[in-house]
Amino acid sequence: MDFPGFPPDQQRVTGRMLPPPPPPAKRVAAFDLKGTMAPLTVLRLRSSDIQLVDRQLRVKISQLPHMFLHAPVLIDLGALEEASPLTVIQVVAILKACKLVPVAATNVPEAMRATIANEGLGILHVAPSAGRVRSLDAEIDAIPDPDLTPGPERTQAAAPKPAPVAAPRPAPAPRVHLGRAVAPAPAPVITPPPYAGPVVVRQQVRGGQVIYAQNNDLVVLAPVNAGAQVIADGHVHIYAKLRGRAVAGAKGLVGARVFVQKLEAELVAVSDAYMSAEEIPHALRGKSAQIWLENGECKAAPL
């Protein structure tokens, strides 16, 4: 039996019509490949003494380990007079042991390109511009220095130093004049300096910037982008989205807290404890939250 309007291959001899074939599935792109300029921490090697590199790197990172936890690192071989493949292999092992992530190398001699690739590192042919590179050594050394001039990629917001308070002098012994005791002069009244208030940041904190409030609280009124870090010896208040890293109680204040309006952080830390992005409760992602220290561990709860 023939059915008008349908080709013969969609008919059966029994007279029952087959359904039309489904339309071809729409092809979906599996990925996007784009170029980007991400902030990197640069380890510029100046010595081939691996033990010296290991010792000094661990000392520097121990000053503020949360800042560089799982941070991507670019290894710069340009300052080495003689770089060997073994040196690169050992440096990569040291970085991984310090919980840093080596991602690429620059100023690589032609004879070492195969070694770099075998270690899983990319080769950066052109040195990044100064606006996109952070110095590991300079960044750590900058943390305790409140007088450092802010630069385009590292801003240090330090609280003003309080005026020195003179220690009280012991009361002088009473003087005797013509057989009568003379009362000592009253001690001068020392007025404490006025409270200057917390350090307030009103502009967006870009990737690669480090803002540090020394001996004070830090208030951020704009987003903290991925790759940026905000640090305070006291509390950290962020009234915007946090996508970078935040550290409160950087010098060991266990009662410090981090308050965030929208938590999407790479890492949050209080004193010596931290909570990575994977450890942040899913229910708090993108929500207002606070982070504090309890029994040596970071805890998080909604605000």
Side-chain angles (χ1 to χ4, degrees), residues 186-192:
V189 178
I190 301 175
T191 304

Side-chain angles (χ1 to χ4, degrees), residues 50 84-95 112 115-116 119:
I50 296 302
S84 67
L86 181 60
T87 299
V88 174
I89 294 173
Q90 292 174 321
V91 168
V92 169
I94 290 172
L95 290 172
M112 293 180 55
T115 301
I116 296 295
E119 287 299 309

